[in-house]
């Protein structure tokens, strides 16, 4: 059985996207949805004292680390069957001595690339460690 050039072209156009995905090893792969978590774990470095502090923060809760007010808005990770990619969206404000806050960072942080989107501050460094479903810290409404 011989196929015409037109038929071959039609088949090629139909299969090209699938073949391209297969070339990159993506054919038939489904991407897992990120899992939203209620708690983000951060580490903070005070550059003057050299002390590193690890702390848990509930989503939409604001905590004070030195002069920084840190508010995570979302924290995601992947299912255990997927390559782990932990990310959090957060807002960081700097509180002045007069009590006035100024936004110094808004954006995504990635646990596997802490320097990618880092909080740029002269005294404090803050980076994302993990996202968790629970913590020993009581929720804000129970304090």
């Amino acid at each position: 059985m011989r196929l015409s050039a037109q038929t071959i072209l039609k088949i090629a156009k139909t299969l090209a996207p699938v073949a391209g995905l297969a070339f990159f090893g993506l054919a038939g792969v489904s991407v897992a949805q990120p899992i939203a978590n209620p708690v983000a774990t951060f580490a903070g470095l005070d550059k003057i004292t050299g002390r590193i502090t690890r702390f848990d923060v509930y989503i939409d809760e604001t905590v004070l680390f030195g002069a920084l007010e840190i508010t995570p808005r979302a924290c995601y990770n992947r299912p255990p069957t997927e390559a782990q990619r932990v990310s959090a969206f957060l807002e960081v404000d700097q509180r002045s001595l007069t009590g006035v806050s100024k936004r110094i960072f808004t954006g995504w942080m990635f646990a596997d690339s802490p320097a990618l989107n880092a909080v740029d501050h002269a005294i404090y460094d803050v980076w994302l460690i993990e996202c968790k479903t629970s913590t020993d810290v009581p929720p804000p409404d129970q304090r």
Side-chain angles (χ1 to χ4, degrees):
M1 171 179 179
R2 191 151 197 223
L3 298 175
S4 69
Q6 239 181 351
T7 305
I8 293 172
L9 186 59
K10 200 182 283 187
I11 292 171
K13 283 182 180 178
T14 305
L15 295 178
V18 176
L21 289 173
F23 178 76
F24 291 108
L26 300 174
V29 174
S30 63
V31 178
Q33 292 297 315
I35 300 169
N37 293 280
V39 180
T41 301
F42 295 96
L45 168 67
D46 182 324
K47 296 177 188 176
I48 294 174
T49 65
R51 183 177 301 167
I52 296 175
T53 305
R54 192 174 170 136
F55 52 96
D56 293 340
V57 187
Y58 284 91
I59 300 304
D60 294 327
E61 173 190 19
T62 300
V63 297
L64 195 61
F65 174 70
L68 302 181
E69 298 173 337
I70 301 165
T71 309
R73 298 295 181 190
C75 198
Y76 297 108
N77 62 2
R78 299 276 181 191
T81 57
E82 299 288 321
Q84 285 302 302
R85 176 108 180 153
V86 179
S87 57
F89 186 84
L90 65 143
E91 300 168 345
V92 180
D93 298 331
Q94 178 177 334
R95 183 181 285 179
S96 70
L97 294 174
T98 60
V100 177
S101 294
K102 178 185 174 194
R103 179 76 33 95
I104 62 168
F105 180 83
T106 301
W108 289 95
M109 266 192 184
F110 305 98
D112 59 344
S113 302
L116 184 62
N117 283 347
V119 175
D120 187 24
H121 193 270
I123 299 173
Y124 304 105
D125 278 344
V126 176
W127 61 94
L128 176 66
I129 300 292
E130 65 180 334
C131 297
K132 303 192 306 189
T133 56
S134 64
T135 180
D136 296 337
V137 178
D141 59 350
Q142 294 180 7
R143 288 186 231 154

